[in-house]
């Protein structure tokens, strides 16, 4: 048997789960209770959430965090620390609020325009009229308008900086209409903004403030815990923060301030292959349309600042952590492409996280709803609250898992912050659905959000324990054990992708017409072609062998690049190098039309091929670039993840449809006998494929593993499917217990099944419901299906507990307790908390009914002896 599978079956693996523990300055007794609640959930590490703690890095903090570390050590647990006082990371615990550190505050550059008409000699242009007292004019450059519209002629550029004195520009204006572009060095214009005192990602010294203010003081206080009890620091959504409240801060936004330092024109010039003077002269292209130099300046500006972010922030903090025996993890804001932009973003997902020891993302605030896989839905998000599965479902988790595959520093670790800020209506079934989406995409570490020692904490619920009041808390351990088993099986080994998708930040940076690479991720996923997402940095030194691309030991059969009108020359050269070595380089819909630098690139074009997006998967399958083929009912909802280790092939198959069964005939390249492992029940079965054909039925919203190459225990039962069912028309004695009550009260006797929280019953009910009934056994019908249940069900037959189910199907194997004749049945159901806690976040999701709604069936399964 596979070593890791055996470890799962012999006990719950350690690690993988590190929930947030929110801290507000509670008593040590209360902290101990909450830490013990984490431990009793089957979790052996947690991340201390410092943001709500008023005296962070003060005397009370050192006392409380010392208590937390000692308690964790005594309980054989591990601790991480969220690394700042305010959200997002980058406030450096107020370090930049001190006047002696004011030089470390972020620098920005903004532009405004004055349009003038020539000819006029001895004209004056009042460029100082929109300059604050603490701002500095960097340059004043004029361009001639091109006919109508906003276009400017970059060849007409006139540098007027030296002709500007005391806020007035003196100029003999030539004939025509001209735009005077005034570039202003500034800080945040609103000093009351909470972003004013945030670090500058373009300054190594400013980023070092995080170490001076937070990292080093923790080492000085608790060095004896570093690398044993204390595992490391977690950065939460650091960003450029040149603007706030948008995911779409791209270049070309009129009046937007952008990250800045005086060295940028030289760095842009170096990357673009032009003189520094020209880079300075064309700098207004960050806002203006300067024709063919616009793509040049914008591309290399973004390239430079994203590399500066990586070097100054990610690698500086990560290297400090590794030098002190701990790890550095976290994530940036990824939402709807923000990861390759400014504002909320960090410029480039991979570069931002390159210095970390895990690849990280988060899924919060209704960004994904299990079962909604095509339609855009609403959530409490910025920019109109649109959540598109094209990004959040099919791209977001792949960003993290891909990074963990292609960068050695990650060692295969892909992390997701999960469950937070969905509201009290997010119950365990919803959580399992989210976890499954992440797991089948290659995520193997999780930061559940959150445990809070403050009772009824309204900050980003749900909170898993809630002082013992969360009625679903006793069953959280079942979900945690399930997630650990799945993560343990998928982390180690080599992910076997079919192709790779290019991380096409550059296609957007250039400003040309382009297709989002997210669309390709969705199309490939829905047709069961697996992929990693790879950036340019991973392609620089990649090799091609036998027409396959190799990056960090992972191989891919083709490179897919989303349609891009303009790309930088360095990218086109990289693609050309790979294509010359035999790798298929496929652009969707059309080939590039020009290079950002204006270089002749026609020699590159014949090395690539263009394929209509709609035909992409058909072409890839014709080329043989696929691991599986699936036919049957509901296969669009089939997802898979394939990894190899120690001559074993492991497939994780998931049915992402939460209301439809998946009946599929799957053709694999492996054949013969294999193991099928059901991770929720922690049970293993034998299966025999016929020429690689796998006939799978996956229940609603469930997953299973298929493993080839293992030694097969001949005593294992065969994997079988349901072949018949008969209804159970029963009457129930229904008792209820509200969440603040200790004892049950009979609610209805000899009743049919009802929704306890319906308008005619108890619409605000949150609590526990007990059902008692009896039925006569039927030979060979040994599984009961409770049908629709809201939400968690624990079943007892003849007094014996037969397990807990937190999602569809609510099926229980009765064979170990059923007897001939009459059997007594008792079912305990925990309802959804949203009925009794209708918070704002819960208003973005549906709240399920309460109790068993049925229909209830006895099920018969086929019997296989070989």
């Amino acid at each position: 048997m596979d070593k890791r599978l055996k470890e799962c079956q012999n006990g719950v693996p350690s690690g993988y789960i590190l929930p947030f523990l929110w801290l507000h300055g509670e008593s040590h007794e209360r902290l101990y209770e909450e830490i013990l609640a984490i431990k009793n959930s089957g979790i052996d590490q947690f991340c201390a959430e410092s943001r709500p703690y008023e005296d962070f890095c003060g005397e009370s903090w050192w006392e409380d965090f010392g208590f937390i570390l000692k308690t964790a050590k005594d309980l054989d647990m591990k601790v991480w620390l969220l690394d700042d006082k305010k959200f997002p990371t980058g406030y450096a615990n107020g370090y930049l609020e001190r006047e002696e550190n004011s030089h470390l505050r972020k620098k920005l550059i903004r532009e405004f325009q004055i349009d003038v008409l020539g000819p006029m000699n001895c004209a004056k242009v009042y460029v100082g009229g929109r300059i604050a007292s603490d701002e500095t004019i960097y340059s004043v450059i004029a361009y001639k308008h091109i006919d109508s519209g906003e276009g400017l002629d970059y060849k007409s550029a006139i540098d007027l900086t030296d002709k500007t004195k005391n806020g007035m520009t003196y100029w003999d204006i030539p004939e025509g209409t001209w735009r005077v572009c005034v570039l202003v060095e500034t800080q945040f214009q609103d000093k009351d903004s909470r972003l004013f005192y945030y670090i500058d990602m373009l300054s190594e010294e400013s980023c070092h403030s995080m170490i001076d203010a937070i990292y080093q003081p923790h080492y000085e206080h608790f060095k004896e815990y570093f690398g044993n009890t204390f595992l490391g620091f977690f950065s939460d959504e650091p960003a450029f923060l040149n603007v706030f409240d948008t995911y779409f801060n791209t270049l070309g936004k009129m009046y937007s301030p952008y990250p800045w330092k005086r060295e940028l024109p030289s760095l842009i010039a170096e990357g673009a292959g032009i003189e520094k003077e020209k880079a300075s002269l064309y700098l207004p292209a960050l806002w203006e349309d300067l024709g063919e130099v616009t793509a040049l300046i914008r591309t290399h500006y973004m390239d430079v600042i994203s590399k500066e972010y990586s070097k100054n922030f990610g690698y500086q903090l990560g290297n400090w952590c590794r030098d002190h025996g701990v790890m550095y993890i976290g994530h940036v804001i990824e939402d709807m492409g923000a990861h390759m932009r400014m504002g909320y973003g960090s410029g480039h997902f991979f570069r931002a996280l390159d210095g970390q020891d895990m690849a990280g993302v988060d899924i919060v605030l209704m960004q994904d709803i299990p079962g909604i896989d095509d339609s855009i839905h609403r959530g409490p998000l910025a920019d109109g609250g649109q959540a598109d599965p094209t990004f959040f479902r099919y791209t977001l988790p792949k960003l993290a898992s891909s990074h963990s595959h292609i960068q050695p520093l990650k060692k295969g670790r892909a992390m997701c912050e999960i469950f937070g800020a969905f509201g009290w209506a997010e119950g365990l079934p919803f959580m399992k659905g989210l976890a499954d989406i992440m797991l089948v995409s290659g995520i193997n570490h999780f930061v559940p959000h959150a445990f809070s020692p403050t009772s009824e904490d309204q900050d980003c619920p749900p909170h898993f324990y809630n002082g013992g009041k969360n009625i679903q808390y006793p069953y959280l351990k079942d979900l945690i054990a399930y997630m650990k088993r799945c993560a343990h099986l998928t982390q180690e080994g080599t992910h076997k992708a079919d192709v790779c998708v290019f991380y096409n930040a550059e296609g957007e940076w250039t400003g040309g017409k382009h297709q989002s690479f997210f669309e390709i991720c969705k199309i490939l996923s829905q047709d069961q072609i697996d992929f990693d997402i790879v950036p340019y940095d991973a392609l620089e030194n990649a090799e091609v062998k036998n027409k396959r691309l190799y990056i960090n030991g992972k191989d891919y059969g083709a490179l897919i690049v989303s349609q891009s009108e303009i790309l930088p020359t360095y990218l086109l050269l990289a693609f050309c190098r790979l294509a010359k070595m035999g790798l298929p380089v496929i652009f969707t819909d059309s080939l590039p039309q020009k290079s950002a630098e204006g270089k002749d690139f026609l020699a590159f074009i014949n090395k690539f091929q263009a394929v209509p997006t709609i035909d992409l998967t058909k072409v890839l399958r014709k080329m043989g670039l696929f691991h599986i083929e699936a036919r049957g009912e509901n296969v669009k909802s089939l997802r898979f993840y394939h990894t190899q280790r120690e001559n074993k092939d492991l497939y994780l198959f998931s049915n992402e449809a939460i209301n439809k069964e998946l009946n599929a005939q799957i053709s694999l390249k492996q054949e013969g006998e294999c193991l099928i492992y059901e991770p929720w029940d922690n049970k293993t079965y034998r299966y025999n494929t016929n020429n690689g054909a796998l006939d799978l039925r996956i229940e609603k919203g469930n997953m299973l593993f298929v493993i080839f190459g293992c030694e097969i225990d001949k005593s294992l039962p065969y994997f079988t499917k349901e072949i018949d069912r008969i209804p159970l028309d029963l009457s129930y004695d229904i008792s209820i217990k509200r969440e603040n009550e200790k004892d049950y009260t009979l609610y209805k006797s000899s009743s049919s099944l009802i929704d306890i929280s319906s308008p005619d019953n108890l619409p605000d009910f949150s609590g526990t419901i007990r059902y008692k009934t009896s039925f006569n056994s039927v030979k060979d019908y040994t599984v009961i299906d409770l049908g629709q249940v809201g939400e968690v069900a624990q079943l007892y037959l003849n007094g014996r507990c037969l397990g807990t189910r937190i999602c569809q199907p609510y099926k229980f194997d009765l064979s170990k307790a059923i007897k001939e004749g009459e059997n007594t049945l008792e079912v305990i159901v925990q309802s959804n908390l949203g009925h009794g806690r209708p918070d704002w976040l819960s208003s973005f999701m549906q709240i399920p009914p309460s109790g068993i709604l049925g229909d209830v069936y006895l099920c018969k399964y086929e019997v296989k002896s070989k």
Side-chain angles (χ1 to χ4, degrees):
M1 183 177 289
D2 178 70
K3 174 186 174 184
R4 286 187 166 238
L5 176 58
K6 189 174 182 179
E7 289 169 347
C8 289
Q9 296 210 289
N10 289 340
V12 179
S14 62
Y16 303 110
I17 312 291
L18 48 142
F20 283 137
L21 171 62
W22 287 59
L23 302 174
H24 312 81
E26 289 84 1
S27 69
H28 289 183
E29 291 77 14
R30 184 66 190 89
L31 285 175
Y32 183 84
E33 179 187 358
E34 199 72 20
I35 294 171
L36 198 60
I38 297 174
K39 176 79 171 179
N40 291 337
S41 300
I43 301 170
D44 51 23
Q45 52 186 271
F46 58 89
C47 183
E49 165 64 271
S50 55
R51 290 188 307 223
Y53 197 100
E54 189 60 35
D55 191 33
F56 180 59
C57 291
E59 288 307 312
S60 63
W61 171 261
W62 302 127
E63 180 182 350
D64 287 352
F65 196 60
F67 171 78
I68 289 169
L69 289 170
K70 184 180 183 305
T71 299
K73 183 178 180 180
D74 292 343
L75 294 173
D76 195 23
M77 300 178 74
K78 310 296 182 185
V79 179
W80 302 77
L81 174 63
L82 195 139
D83 66 354
D84 214 338
K85 170 68 182 73
K86 290 186 179 181
F87 168 83
T89 287
Y91 176 65
N93 197 34
Y95 192 74
L96 278 68
E97 289 185 355
R98 306 175 198 172
E99 199 55 38
E100 66 267 24
N101 297 325
S102 61
H103 65 290
L104 301 176
R105 296 169 190 163
K106 68 165 62 72
K107 283 87 177 169
L108 305 172
I109 192 165
R110 65 182 182 92
E111 185 227 35
F112 66 89
Q113 312 86 27
I114 304 170
D115 292 301
V116 299
L117 181 66
M120 178 182 285
N121 292 331
C122 302
K124 294 180 181 180
V125 182
Y126 184 29
V127 297
R130 287 177 261 173
I131 307 294
S133 60
D134 58 350
E135 295 182 319
T136 303
I137 292 177
Y138 173 73
S139 65
V140 180
I141 304 172
Y143 305 88
K144 192 172 184 178
H145 275 274
I146 300 176
D147 301 322
S148 61
E150 293 278 356
L152 304 175
D153 180 9
Y154 76 94
K155 295 178 182 178
S156 69
I158 301 174
D159 191 342
L160 302 173
T161 309
D162 291 341
K163 296 182 179 181
T164 302
K165 297 180 181 178
N166 300 321
M168 196 71 72
T169 297
Y170 300 87
W171 183 30
D172 294 334
I173 305 175
E175 182 179 357
T177 303
W178 294 76
R179 172 161 292 175
V180 179
C181 299
V182 185
L183 274 61
V184 182
E185 293 178 317
T186 185
Q187 292 184 306
F188 238 87
Q189 292 168 283
D190 179 8
K191 290 188 178 181
D192 293 328
S193 167
R194 67 191 185 98
L195 304 181
F196 185 79
Y197 298 109
Y198 269 69
I199 60 173
D200 183 355
M201 294 299 184
L202 300 186
S203 165
E204 182 179 356
E205 184 184 5
S206 182
C207 290
H208 200 276
S209 301
M210 292 291 298
I211 295 172
D212 293 335
I214 299 167
Y215 286 48
Q216 186 66 33
H218 278 85
Y219 181 72
E220 291 169 357
H221 279 84
F222 305 115
K223 66 178 68 174
E224 69 273 20
Y225 291 105
F226 269 53
N228 44 78
T229 299
F230 183 68
L231 294 185
F233 293 91
F234 184 110
S235 281
D236 194 26
E237 302 184 356
F240 281 115
L241 298 179
N242 51 299
V243 297
F244 204 58
D245 290 335
T246 180
Y247 305 136
F248 299 99
N249 185 237
T250 57
L251 294 170
K253 301 282 186 183
M254 200 64 71
Y255 306 117
S256 176
Y258 294 128
W260 173 250
K261 68 176 180 177
R262 282 272 172 136
E263 296 81 4
L264 283 184
S266 295
L267 295 171
I268 292 170
E270 182 181 347
I274 60 176
E275 299 86 359
K276 177 191 172 184
E277 292 71 21
K278 285 190 175 181
S280 295
L281 199 61
Y282 304 151
L283 204 58
L286 299 180
W287 299 269
E288 307 282 353
D289 178 6
L290 297 187
E292 61 189 58
V293 299
T294 303
L296 174 78
I297 297 299
R298 293 184 183 181
T299 300
H300 289 282
Y301 171 86
M302 290 299 300
D303 187 53
V304 166
I305 67 168
S306 59
K307 288 177 178 176
E308 288 289 303
Y309 182 113
S310 181
K311 171 174 66 78
N312 297 330
F313 186 76
Y315 268 113
Q316 184 172 196
L317 297 188
N319 289 338
W320 185 95
C321 286
R322 287 181 284 275
D323 287 344
H324 290 77
V326 296
M327 289 191 284
Y328 175 51
I329 64 173
H331 74 98
V332 297
I333 289 185
E334 310 90 6
D335 303 22
M336 301 301 294
H339 54 83
M340 56 188 182
R341 301 171 187 142
M342 296 166 292
Y344 269 155
S346 54
H348 191 287
F349 176 84
F350 292 91
R351 290 174 183 170
L353 299 182
D354 272 346
Q356 297 192 353
D357 294 284
M358 293 185 190
V361 293
D362 83 341
I363 192 80
V364 295
L365 291 167
M366 301 303 297
Q367 291 169 339
D368 200 349
I369 299 176
I372 299 181
D373 52 10
D374 278 319
S375 305
I376 292 175
H377 63 269
R378 290 295 184 267
L381 306 167
D383 293 300
Q386 291 191 339
D388 188 348
T390 303
F391 175 72
F392 289 112
R393 173 70 59 84
Y394 301 107
T395 306
L396 174 66
K398 280 293 194 177
L399 284 169
S401 65
S402 299
H403 204 182
S404 77
H405 299 150
I406 65 176
Q407 196 205 25
L409 187 60
K410 303 294 182 284
K411 297 181 180 178
R413 295 179 292 240
M415 177 272 294
C416 179
E417 180 187 330
I418 197 166
F419 306 149
F422 280 83
W424 290 108
E426 182 193 23
L428 291 177
F430 194 100
M431 292 179 192
K432 180 183 178 294
L434 286 178
D436 286 352
I437 291 166
M438 298 296 119
L439 285 161
V440 79
S441 300
I443 300 295
N444 49 41
H445 285 73
F446 294 90
V447 181
H449 186 309
F451 283 87
S452 175
T454 297
S455 183
E456 302 297 334
D457 192 343
Q458 294 305 304
D459 193 346
C460 298
H463 298 288
F464 306 125
Y465 183 60
N466 194 27
K469 297 178 183 177
N470 190 329
I471 55 174
Q472 292 191 2
Y473 164 75
Y475 308 99
L476 176 65
K477 65 181 185 297
D478 297 310
L479 175 60
I480 295 300
Y482 164 82
M483 292 168 65
K484 281 186 169 186
R485 288 191 288 264
C486 293
H488 191 62
L489 284 175
T490 57
Q491 183 187 350
E492 189 181 77
T494 301
H495 172 234
K496 303 302 294 182
D498 300 301
V499 298
C500 60
V501 174
F502 179 64
Y503 178 75
N504 201 357
E506 287 88 347
E508 179 177 285
W509 293 351
T510 63
K513 179 183 177 183
H514 64 281
Q515 176 194 40
S516 168
F517 73 90
F518 314 159
E519 297 178 34
I520 299 173
C521 296
K522 177 179 179 179
I523 288 167
L524 295 178
S525 296
Q526 291 191 337
D527 199 22
Q528 293 85 46
I529 293 181
D530 199 10
F531 59 92
D532 275 337
I533 303 167
V534 301
Y536 164 74
D537 299 349
L539 298 176
E540 280 188 285
N541 299 311
E543 297 180 345
V544 177
K545 300 176 183 177
N546 299 320
K547 297 185 179 182
R548 293 189 70 84
L549 178 69
Y550 282 80
I551 303 173
N552 189 33
K554 313 300 185 292
D555 62 297
Y556 311 93
L559 174 64
I560 315 299
V561 187
S562 55
Q563 178 192 33
S564 306
E565 178 188 6
I566 310 171
L567 287 175
T569 302
Y570 65 78
L571 258 187
L572 293 167
L573 287 172
F575 295 158
C576 185
R577 179 182 75 86
L578 298 173
K580 283 181 177 179
M581 296 171 69
L583 178 72
V585 177
I586 301 172
F587 283 82
T588 54
D589 295 334
S590 64
L591 298 176
Q593 302 301 302
K594 59 183 79 170
S595 77
E597 295 79 7
K599 304 281 187 181
D600 180 9
F601 69 102
L602 293 178
F604 304 157
I605 292 299
N606 64 359
K607 305 296 181 186
F608 314 139
Q609 56 182 303
V611 172
T613 301
I614 195 171
D615 296 329
L616 179 61
T617 59
K618 185 191 307 181
V619 169
L620 294 176
R621 289 190 177 278
K622 190 173 181 180
M623 295 169 65
L625 298 178
F626 61 92
H627 281 78
I628 73 169
E629 286 187 285
R631 300 172 302 279
E633 183 182 341
N634 196 34
V635 293
K636 184 180 175 183
S637 296
L638 174 66
R639 305 285 176 267
F640 81 101
Y641 184 81
H642 178 201
T643 188
Q644 287 181 341
R645 64 167 179 266
E646 299 174 346
N647 299 317
K648 302 179 185 70
D649 283 273
L650 182 146
Y651 290 87
L652 174 57
F653 290 108
S654 175
N655 175 13
E656 289 193 350
I658 63 172
N659 53 10
K660 294 180 181 177
E661 291 182 349
L662 188 149
N663 287 286
Q665 295 76 49
I666 300 173
S667 297
L668 305 173
K669 295 183 179 179
Q670 294 76 27
E671 60 180 343
E673 200 165 25
C674 60
L675 292 176
I676 291 183
Y677 175 64
E678 291 189 328
W680 181 266
D681 293 325
N682 198 20
K683 291 182 179 179
T684 307
Y685 303 89
R686 298 168 64 187
Y687 191 90
N688 197 11
T689 62
N690 183 14
N691 295 321
L694 190 65
D695 190 12
L696 278 187
R697 175 178 178 178
I698 305 180
E699 305 274 10
K700 305 171 185 177
N702 273 259
M703 301 197 306
L704 53 79
F705 289 86
V706 177
I707 307 173
F708 289 88
C710 288
E711 182 179 340
I712 306 295
D713 182 350
K714 301 304 181 183
S715 67
L716 286 174
Y718 277 92
F719 183 75
T720 59
K721 292 189 272 187
E722 179 187 323
I723 57 174
D724 192 29
R725 54 175 45 204
I726 55 177
L728 283 179
D729 187 14
L730 305 174
S731 297
Y732 303 84
D733 290 336
I734 306 174
S735 300
I736 62 171
K737 181 172 63 175
R738 292 185 181 271
E739 56 182 279
N740 58 351
E741 297 175 343
K742 293 183 178 181
D743 299 316
Y744 286 100
T745 301
L746 182 64
Y747 183 63
K748 290 188 180 287
S749 59
S750 301
S751 172
S752 59
L753 295 173
I754 58 172
D755 173 15
I756 298 295
S757 57
S758 71
D760 297 332
N761 289 299
L762 304 170
D764 63 348
F765 176 80
S766 288
T768 306
I769 310 160
R770 184 178 66 192
Y771 297 81
K772 288 187 174 182
T773 188
S774 61
F775 68 94
N776 288 319
S777 61
V778 180
K779 186 180 180 182
D780 297 329
Y781 286 75
T782 57
V783 172
I784 192 169
D785 185 349
L786 301 180
Q788 185 179 353
V789 177
E791 286 194 293
V792 179
Q794 188 173 50
L795 185 140
Y796 294 81
L797 184 67
N798 299 322
R800 180 171 178 174
C801 181
L802 297 182
T804 303
R805 299 290 304 184
I806 66 169
C807 71
Q808 294 272 17
Y810 289 90
K811 286 184 173 181
F812 296 84
D813 182 358
L814 308 178
S815 58
K816 291 183 178 180
I818 199 166
K819 60 184 182 180
E820 288 188 25
E822 187 176 45
N823 290 261
T824 60
L825 180 68
E826 180 180 351
V827 184
I828 308 295
V829 175
Q830 270 67 37
S831 74
N832 185 282
L833 291 169
H835 299 290
R837 293 176 175 80
D839 63 295
W840 175 71
L841 290 168
S842 295
S843 71
F844 289 90
M845 67 188 301
Q846 65 199 66
I847 301 175
S850 297
I852 304 173
L853 275 70
D855 295 327
V856 178
Y857 290 91
L858 282 179
C859 306
K860 180 179 181 180
Y861 278 67
E862 62 185 345
V863 177
K864 282 188 177 181
S865 59
K866 62 178 181 177

